[in-house]
PDB file of all heavy atoms in Angstrom:
ATOM      1  N   LYS A 189     143.078  71.823  45.690  1.00 97.00           N
ATOM      2  CA  LYS A 189     142.932  73.126  45.038  1.00 97.00           C
ATOM      3  C   LYS A 189     142.263  73.078  43.669  1.00 97.00           C
ATOM      4  O   LYS A 189     141.735  74.100  43.217  1.00 97.00           O
ATOM      5  CB  LYS A 189     144.286  73.824  44.943  1.00 97.00           C
ATOM      6  CG  LYS A 189     145.299  73.178  44.019  1.00 97.00           C
ATOM      7  CD  LYS A 189     146.604  73.969  44.074  1.00 97.00           C
ATOM      8  CE  LYS A 189     147.653  73.358  43.162  1.00 97.00           C
ATOM      9  NZ  LYS A 189     148.938  74.103  43.243  1.00 97.00           N
ATOM     10  N   GLU A 190     142.241  71.935  43.008  1.00 97.00           N
ATOM     11  CA  GLU A 190     141.547  71.833  41.726  1.00 97.00           C
ATOM     12  C   GLU A 190     140.412  70.809  41.747  1.00 97.00           C
ATOM     13  O   GLU A 190     139.838  70.492  40.717  1.00 97.00           O
ATOM     14  CB  GLU A 190     142.535  71.490  40.607  1.00 97.00           C
ATOM     15  CG  GLU A 190     143.553  72.594  40.326  1.00 97.00           C
ATOM     16  CD  GLU A 190     144.545  72.202  39.249  1.00 97.00           C
ATOM     17  OE1 GLU A 190     144.383  71.115  38.652  1.00 97.00           O
ATOM     18  OE2 GLU A 190     145.499  72.969  39.018  1.00 97.00           O
ATOM     19  N   THR A 191     140.107  70.281  42.925  1.00 98.00           N
ATOM     20  CA  THR A 191     139.053  69.270  43.039  1.00 98.00           C
ATOM     21  C   THR A 191     137.679  69.930  43.033  1.00 98.00           C
ATOM     22  O   THR A 191     137.340  70.669  43.945  1.00 98.00           O
ATOM     23  CB  THR A 191     139.242  68.451  44.332  1.00 98.00           C
ATOM     24  OG1 THR A 191     140.415  67.648  44.204  1.00 98.00           O
ATOM     25  CG2 THR A 191     138.049  67.532  44.569  1.00 98.00           C
ATOM     26  N   ARG A 192     136.896  69.648  42.000  1.00 98.00           N
ATOM     27  CA  ARG A 192     135.553  70.233  41.887  1.00 98.00           C
ATOM     28  C   ARG A 192     134.507  69.384  42.605  1.00 98.00           C
ATOM     29  O   ARG A 192     133.541  69.902  43.174  1.00 98.00           O
ATOM     30  CB  ARG A 192     135.181  70.366  40.409  1.00 98.00           C
ATOM     31  CG  ARG A 192     133.858  71.063  40.143  1.00 98.00           C
ATOM     32  CD  ARG A 192     133.897  72.537  40.500  1.00 98.00           C
ATOM     33  NE  ARG A 192     132.588  73.162  40.356  1.00 98.00           N
ATOM     34  CZ  ARG A 192     132.072  73.573  39.192  1.00 98.00           C
ATOM     35  NH1 ARG A 192     132.775  73.440  38.067  1.00 98.00           N
ATOM     36  NH2 ARG A 192     130.884  74.123  39.150  1.00 98.00           N
ATOM     37  N   VAL A 193     134.683  68.063  42.573  1.00 99.00           N
ATOM     38  CA  VAL A 193     133.789  67.155  43.301  1.00 99.00           C
ATOM     39  C   VAL A 193     134.644  66.331  44.255  1.00 99.00           C
ATOM     40  O   VAL A 193     135.510  65.569  43.819  1.00 99.00           O
ATOM     41  CB  VAL A 193     133.009  66.226  42.357  1.00 99.00           C
ATOM     42  CG1 VAL A 193     132.107  65.286  43.183  1.00 99.00           C
ATOM     43  CG2 VAL A 193     132.186  67.004  41.351  1.00 99.00           C
ATOM     44  N   LEU A 194     134.407  66.496  45.541  1.00 99.00           N
ATOM     45  CA  LEU A 194     135.164  65.774  46.560  1.00 99.00           C
ATOM     46  C   LEU A 194     134.322  64.594  47.041  1.00 99.00           C
ATOM     47  O   LEU A 194     133.208  64.778  47.547  1.00 99.00           O
ATOM     48  CB  LEU A 194     135.482  66.706  47.728  1.00 99.00           C
ATOM     49  CG  LEU A 194     136.320  66.124  48.867  1.00 99.00           C
ATOM     50  CD1 LEU A 194     137.720  65.772  48.380  1.00 99.00           C
ATOM     51  CD2 LEU A 194     136.391  67.106  50.037  1.00 99.00           C
ATOM     52  N   ILE A 195     134.853  63.382  46.894  1.00 99.00           N
ATOM     53  CA  ILE A 195     134.159  62.168  47.315  1.00 99.00           C
ATOM     54  C   ILE A 195     134.913  61.576  48.501  1.00 99.00           C
ATOM     55  O   ILE A 195     136.089  61.225  48.384  1.00 99.00           O
ATOM     56  CB  ILE A 195     134.080  61.137  46.178  1.00 99.00           C
ATOM     57  CG1 ILE A 195     133.373  61.729  44.957  1.00 99.00           C
ATOM     58  CG2 ILE A 195     133.355  59.870  46.647  1.00 99.00           C
ATOM     59  CD1 ILE A 195     133.350  60.806  43.746  1.00 99.00           C
ATOM     60  N   ASN A 196     134.254  61.470  49.643  1.00 98.00           N
ATOM     61  CA  ASN A 196     134.909  60.965  50.842  1.00 98.00           C
ATOM     62  C   ASN A 196     134.667  59.480  51.034  1.00 98.00           C
ATOM     63  O   ASN A 196     133.531  59.035  51.203  1.00 98.00           O
ATOM     64  CB  ASN A 196     134.420  61.709  52.086  1.00 98.00           C
ATOM     65  CG  ASN A 196     135.077  61.181  53.348  1.00 98.00           C
ATOM     66  OD1 ASN A 196     136.263  60.840  53.347  1.00 98.00           O
ATOM     67  ND2 ASN A 196     134.320  61.080  54.421  1.00 98.00           N
ATOM     68  N   LEU A 197     135.769  58.712  51.025  1.00 98.00           N
ATOM     69  CA  LEU A 197     135.718  57.283  51.316  1.00 98.00           C
ATOM     70  C   LEU A 197     136.848  56.900  52.280  1.00 98.00           C
ATOM     71  O   LEU A 197     137.398  55.815  52.206  1.00 98.00           O
ATOM     72  CB  LEU A 197     135.823  56.473  50.012  1.00 98.00           C
ATOM     73  CG  LEU A 197     134.513  56.389  49.229  1.00 98.00           C
ATOM     74  CD1 LEU A 197     134.752  55.971  47.783  1.00 98.00           C
ATOM     75  CD2 LEU A 197     133.553  55.414  49.890  1.00 98.00           C
ATOM     76  N   LEU A 198     137.159  57.808  53.190  1.00 97.00           N
ATOM     77  CA  LEU A 198     138.212  57.557  54.165  1.00 97.00           C
ATOM     78  C   LEU A 198     137.755  56.573  55.240  1.00 97.00           C
ATOM     79  O   LEU A 198     136.574  56.521  55.584  1.00 97.00           O
ATOM     80  CB  LEU A 198     138.620  58.866  54.847  1.00 97.00           C
ATOM     81  CG  LEU A 198     139.436  59.861  54.020  1.00 97.00           C
ATOM     82  CD1 LEU A 198     139.496  61.199  54.736  1.00 97.00           C
ATOM     83  CD2 LEU A 198     140.833  59.323  53.757  1.00 97.00           C
ATOM     84  N   PRO A 199     138.689  55.848  55.831  1.00 93.00           N
ATOM     85  CA  PRO A 199     138.346  55.053  57.019  1.00 93.00           C
ATOM     86  C   PRO A 199     138.144  55.979  58.205  1.00 93.00           C
ATOM     87  O   PRO A 199     138.622  57.120  58.217  1.00 93.00           O
ATOM     88  CB  PRO A 199     139.583  54.159  57.210  1.00 93.00           C
ATOM     89  CG  PRO A 199     140.703  54.946  56.606  1.00 93.00           C
ATOM     90  CD  PRO A 199     140.105  55.692  55.447  1.00 93.00           C
ATOM     91  N   ASN A 200     137.438  55.496  59.203  1.00 93.00           N
ATOM     92  CA  ASN A 200     137.194  56.268  60.410  1.00 93.00           C
ATOM     93  C   ASN A 200     138.312  55.998  61.409  1.00 93.00           C
ATOM     94  O   ASN A 200     138.368  54.936  62.029  1.00 93.00           O
ATOM     95  CB  ASN A 200     135.843  55.893  61.016  1.00 93.00           C
ATOM     96  CG  ASN A 200     135.530  56.668  62.288  1.00 93.00           C
ATOM     97  OD1 ASN A 200     136.199  57.641  62.597  1.00 93.00           O
ATOM     98  ND2 ASN A 200     134.519  56.230  63.007  1.00 93.00           N
ATOM     99  N   THR A 201     139.217  56.962  61.543  1.00 91.00           N
ATOM    100  CA  THR A 201     140.318  56.838  62.487  1.00 91.00           C
ATOM    101  C   THR A 201     140.418  58.128  63.291  1.00 91.00           C
ATOM    102  O   THR A 201     139.755  59.125  62.989  1.00 91.00           O
ATOM    103  CB  THR A 201     141.657  56.593  61.763  1.00 91.00           C
ATOM    104  OG1 THR A 201     142.010  57.778  61.026  1.00 91.00           O
ATOM    105  CG2 THR A 201     141.556  55.416  60.800  1.00 91.00           C
TER     106      THR A 201
END
Side-chain angles (χ1 to χ4, degrees):
K189 67 182 180 182
E190 294 178 5
T191 291
R192 185 68 185 279
V193 179
L194 182 65
I195 302 175
N196 179 38
L197 281 162
L198 287 168
N200 180 13
T201 68

